[in-house]
């Protein structure tokens, strides 16, 4: 079973920041938080990952609470092309024995014009 | 560098038939994983291959099988198809560290849409 819970859907106005929450209260000390997204009927796309510090890349920012029980993915300026299902996943990071990902139900982000 | 490719992209079969799906990973990637996506069950892990060996398997019946070739290309086979096998089948590849250890990023292909009638 997935170790994360996410709201089933969210709306966001184009050009505004989209903040997608994720709860992972049973995360282990060596597990990272990963985010993927899946645009309709395409393969999932990696976005970002982190352990406990905030992370930022060209796609998004990841804010992880100090107790690591929850996190927020931030898309700073959402566009219509960001409409997708966003998955929050916890897994052992690089150096683990498997690449297996356990997907939850994700959040459908609908960016409105 | 070309991405993960999957063939065919669409497939229609009838119950009882078998099907073989193919996945070509990104050049240099030696780990390949397969996932099934259905509206009811979401994205579920099928199995993972590294260096021609299956090293992880999801909770699927024995009708689902796979293999990996020496060039890292992978195939999955579903025998005796059932209506419930209709799904999007996704393949993901990743570069592996020494000893086959995992990396951060998996790259997914576009998937094969299988319809069982």
């Amino acid at each position: 079973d997935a170790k994360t819970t996410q709201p089933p859907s969210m709306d966001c106005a184009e050009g505004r920041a989209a903040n997608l929450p994720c709860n992972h209260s049973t995360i282990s000390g060596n597990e990272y938080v990963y985010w993927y997204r899946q645009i309709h009927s395409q393969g999932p796309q990696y976005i970002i990952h982190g352990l406990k510090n905030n992370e930022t890349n060209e796609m998004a920012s990841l804010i992880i609470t100090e107790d690591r029980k929850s996190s927020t993915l931030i898309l700073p300026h959402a566009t219509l092309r960001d409409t997708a299902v966003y998955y929050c996943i916890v897994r052992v990071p690089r150096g683990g024995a498997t690449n297996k990902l356990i997907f939850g139900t994700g959040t459908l982000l609908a960016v409105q014009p | 560098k070309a991405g993960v490719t999957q063939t065919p992209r669409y497939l229609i079969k009838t119950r009882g038939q078998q099907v073989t799906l193919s996945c070509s990973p990104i050049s240099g990637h030696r780990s390949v994983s397969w996932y099934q996506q259905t509206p009811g069950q979401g994205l579920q892990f099928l199995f993972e291959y590294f260096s021609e060996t299956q090293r992880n398997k999801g909770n699927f019946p024995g009708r689902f099988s796979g293999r990996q070739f020496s060039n890292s290309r992978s195939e999955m086979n579903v025998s005796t198809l059932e209506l419930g096998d209709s799904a999007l089948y996704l393949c993901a590849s990743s570069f592996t560290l020494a000893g086959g250890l995992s990396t951060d990023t998996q790259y997914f292909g576009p998937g094969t849409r299988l319809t069982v009638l």
Side-chain angles (χ1 to χ4, degrees):
Chain A
D1 290 346
K3 298 179 67 172
T4 62
T5 55
Q6 301 175 251
S9 63
M10 293 182 63
D11 288 343
C12 177
E14 189 176 20
R16 305 296 295 268
N19 296 281
L20 293 94
C22 178
N23 287 319
H24 32 79
S25 59
T26 62
I27 192 170
S28 301
N30 65 341
E31 288 180 319
Y32 279 51
V33 179
Y34 282 74
W35 284 83
Y36 282 76
R37 74 179 182 183
Q38 186 176 24
I39 296 170
H40 182 62
S41 292
Q42 297 181 22
Q45 176 190 25
Y46 165 82
I47 302 173
I48 197 169
H49 74 281
L51 179 64
K52 56 183 178 181
N53 298 318
N54 298 340
E55 302 289 344
T56 296
N57 63 19
E58 65 279 4
M59 289 183 68
S61 294
L62 174 60
I63 309 297
I64 302 174
T65 58
E66 191 168 344
D67 63 8
R68 303 212 320 123
K69 293 184 177 182
S70 65
S71 60
T72 301
L73 178 74
I74 300 172
L75 306 179
H77 305 288
T79 70
L80 298 178
R81 287 176 294 181
D82 292 321
T83 292
V85 177
Y86 288 76
Y87 295 98
C88 170
I89 299 167
V90 297
R91 60 161 288 200
V92 176
R94 63 165 43 206
T98 177
N99 288 296
K100 175 182 177 180
L101 297 173
I102 301 176
F103 288 85
T105 53
T107 295
L108 173 58
L109 175 68
V111 180
Q112 310 290 345
Chain B
K1 185 183 278 191
V4 178
T5 58
Q6 294 187 244
T7 56
R9 292 293 312 279
Y10 302 91
L11 203 50
I12 300 175
K13 292 285 187 179
T14 57
R15 282 179 296 175
Q17 288 187 308
Q18 75 165 19
V19 67
T20 299
L21 311 181
S22 180
C23 171
S24 292
I26 292 172
S27 178
H29 287 193
R30 295 170 60 195
S31 175
V32 173
S33 299
W34 288 89
Y35 294 81
Q36 181 198 64
Q37 186 172 28
T38 61
Q41 299 297 319
L43 267 157
Q44 292 187 289
F45 172 80
L46 278 159
F47 25 64
E48 175 184 8
Y49 286 88
F50 169 73
S51 195
E52 301 179 65
T53 300
Q54 185 184 94
R55 63 178 187 176
N56 211 340
K57 189 177 191 304
N59 188 25
F60 280 82
R63 299 185 297 106
F64 292 82
S65 63
R67 59 178 176 169
Q68 185 180 34
F69 302 96
S70 58
N71 61 358
S72 296
R73 190 177 69 84
S74 178
E75 289 181 348
M76 67 162 285
N77 183 277
V78 187
S79 63
T80 318
L81 284 166
E82 301 177 359
L83 295 179
D85 297 331
S86 294
L88 179 67
Y89 290 89
L90 291 156
C91 166
S93 79
S94 59
F95 176 78
T96 53
L97 305 174
L101 300 180
S102 69
T103 57
D104 296 321
T105 306
Q106 291 191 64
Y107 298 87
F108 284 81
T112 294
R113 173 75 60 183
L114 172 65
T115 301
V116 181
L117 303 176

